[in-house]
Amino acid sequence: MKKIISLAFAAMMAFSAVCLAAGDGAVLNKLQKPAEAMIGMFDGKTEYAAVVKSFTAEAAANFKQETFDSVKKQAKEKFGDLKESKFVAFQRLDQVDIVAYLGAFTKEKIVNLSFIFDKTGKIVNFQFSPIQAQQQPAKK
């Protein structure tokens, strides 16, 4: 009897977890599109107009065409060409959501590509930072 009750409880918990995760999944799907559009700027697949339409009004006012071109140029110089990108994390916080990808570039092996969204699904900020492996101290 205890096994049946335990099994029923486990099934109920699994079902409720799936139902609750479904809501976050829809939000994630919505946020991935602008994040991936912005990642597309690294290989020239995305133009400024497609990127900036996903920004909040304040962020768009600070991210002009010149800034877009500068970010692309600096990323190319620092990271090289984008080889691939993979989704790695989704965080839901009280005021913002964060979507993170890891990118593999020709000059930097791993770059963290993070996008911060407000609760309306608009980008408020982003960050591209290389991830360096820690050097092991030489054994004596």
Side-chain angles (χ1 to χ4, degrees):
M1 184 70 169
K2 288 182 183 179
K3 289 182 182 179
I4 293 173
I5 292 173
S6 296
L7 183 60
F9 182 72
M12 182 179 69
M13 292 303 292
F15 178 74
S16 64
V18 168
C19 290
L20 293 175
D24 288 344
V27 172
L28 173 59
N29 289 341
K30 179 182 171 190
L31 301 181
Q32 280 184 297
K33 288 181 174 90
E36 290 174 357
M38 194 152 179
I39 291 170
M41 76 180 198
F42 292 119
D43 54 16
K45 291 182 180 176
T46 307
E47 296 298 323
Y48 171 75
V51 169
V52 79
K53 74 179 183 181
S54 301
F55 280 45
T56 62
E58 184 180 340
N62 294 321
F63 194 71
K64 301 291 185 200
Q65 177 75 49
E66 299 79 31
T67 308
F68 174 80
D69 294 337
S70 177
V71 168
K72 279 176 53 174
K73 181 181 177 195
Q74 289 176 19
K76 180 121 175 132
E77 290 170 358
K78 187 173 182 178
F79 307 142
D81 295 324
L82 178 67
K83 295 191 294 187
E84 70 174 319
S85 64
K86 301 263 184 195
F87 168 76
V88 292
F90 174 49
Q91 294 177 310
R92 300 220 63 196
L93 304 172
D94 288 341
Q95 299 301 314
V96 297
D97 295 326
I98 302 169
V99 176
Y101 286 75
L102 290 180
F105 290 80
T106 54
K107 292 182 182 178
E108 288 287 344
K109 290 185 182 194
I110 303 171
V111 177
N112 180 33
L113 310 168
S114 297
F115 305 92
I116 302 165
F117 294 86
D118 68 4
K119 287 301 177 183
T120 66
K122 296 287 188 176
I123 295 174
V124 294
N125 208 343
F126 60 90
Q127 178 183 4
F128 308 137
S129 54
I131 298 175
Q132 302 291 328
Q134 292 184 350
Q135 298 293 328
Q136 296 293 328
K139 294 183 180 178
K140 296 181 182 181

